[in-house]
Amino acid sequence: MTAAPTTVSDGVVVAIHYTLKNDAGETLDSSSGGDPLEYLHGAGNIVPGLENALAGKKLGEQLKVTVAPADAYGERDPRGVQKVPRNSFPPGVDLQPGMAFLADGPDGEPVQVWISALEADRVVIDLNHPLAGVTLHFEVQISALRPATAEEIEHGHPHGPDGHGGHEHHGHEH
Ligand code: ZN
């Protein structure tokens, strides 16, 4: 057995409590009151700027990290906004602004797009992540560290305390 890791490094499953704010100080997301977020360090599960800042940090350590868009969700590309007919969506789907879904990219590969607005017979979609162009201000505390299992390393993400918790949404086979 590998000894429990004491610092954040590649191949370690890191549990963090975090609060994410924008430049205006508005809270965009937080793990407060819930379970910490688990991620596999070195696997790109979280934005690069935050992952880089956590490298080498110790269990229990608290840090404040400001991440520029280039190291988070990228700059906004105005060409990413498009209007498509509402009937290009499956009937019966209750479309709402903020919804994310997968569409076919230029080479047929799945790309994630977000609904940014609804018009009478058209849907405004945005290929930009909702946080593109936003500078992210994180307050993070490292609440747990453990070695990743071989399966987690292979998959590139943690599997949770019961071995497969929260896994279904990844949409891949075991
Ligand atoms: Zn998996």
Side-chain angles (χ1 to χ4, degrees), residues 110-157:
V111 293
Q112 189 148 35
V113 302
W114 287 265
I115 294 177
S116 59
L118 296 169
E119 298 179 349
D121 53 0
R122 291 193 298 181
V123 178
V124 184
I125 61 169
D126 194 345
L127 276 76
N128 294 291
H129 189 281
L131 292 178
V134 177
T135 298
L136 306 180
H137 302 269
F138 288 99
E139 288 180 37
V140 177
Q141 180 167 28
I142 299 168
S143 63
L145 299 172
R146 65 172 173 84
T149 66
E151 189 182 56
E152 288 171 326
I153 296 280
E154 187 190 333
H155 285 198
H157 55 237

Side-chain angles (χ1 to χ4, degrees), residues 13-15 35-40 45 146-149 151-153 155-170 172 174:
V13 173
V14 183
D35 291 331
L37 171 75
E38 272 202 332
Y39 78 95
L40 174 59
N45 295 170
R146 65 172 173 84
T149 66
E151 189 182 56
E152 288 171 326
I153 296 280
H155 285 198
H157 55 237
H159 282 166
D162 60 358
H164 57 269
H167 197 263
E168 280 67 25
H169 70 276
H170 290 298
H172 61 208
H174 272 163

Side-chain angles (χ1 to χ4, degrees), residues 3-137:
T6 56
T7 59
V8 175
S9 61
D10 287 357
V12 171
V13 173
V14 183
I16 54 172
H17 271 296
Y18 69 96
T19 297
L20 168 61
K21 295 181 179 177
N22 61 14
D23 278 334
E26 297 162 338
T27 299
L28 303 176
D29 194 10
S30 175
S31 64
S32 178
D35 291 331
L37 171 75
E38 272 202 332
Y39 78 95
L40 174 59
H41 193 81
N45 295 170
I46 61 175
V47 297
L50 181 58
E51 186 167 50
N52 292 340
L54 283 162
K57 295 294 186 292
K58 295 183 174 59
L59 179 63
E61 206 166 327
Q62 284 182 280
L63 57 156
K64 286 188 176 185
V65 185
T66 298
V67 182
D71 294 317
Y73 295 101
E75 303 290 350
R76 281 194 64 81
D77 181 354
R79 292 168 303 177
V81 179
Q82 296 166 15
K83 294 186 179 185
V84 298
R86 200 182 260 261
N87 63 15
S88 61
F89 291 84
V93 176
D94 183 24
L95 302 176
Q96 297 289 342
M99 279 175 63
F101 57 95
L102 290 175
D104 290 333
D107 301 315
E109 79 284 10
V111 293
Q112 189 148 35
V113 302
W114 287 265
I115 294 177
S116 59
L118 296 169
E119 298 179 349
D121 53 0
R122 291 193 298 181
V123 178
V124 184
I125 61 169
D126 194 345
L127 276 76
N128 294 291
H129 189 281
L131 292 178
V134 177
T135 298
L136 306 180
H137 302 269

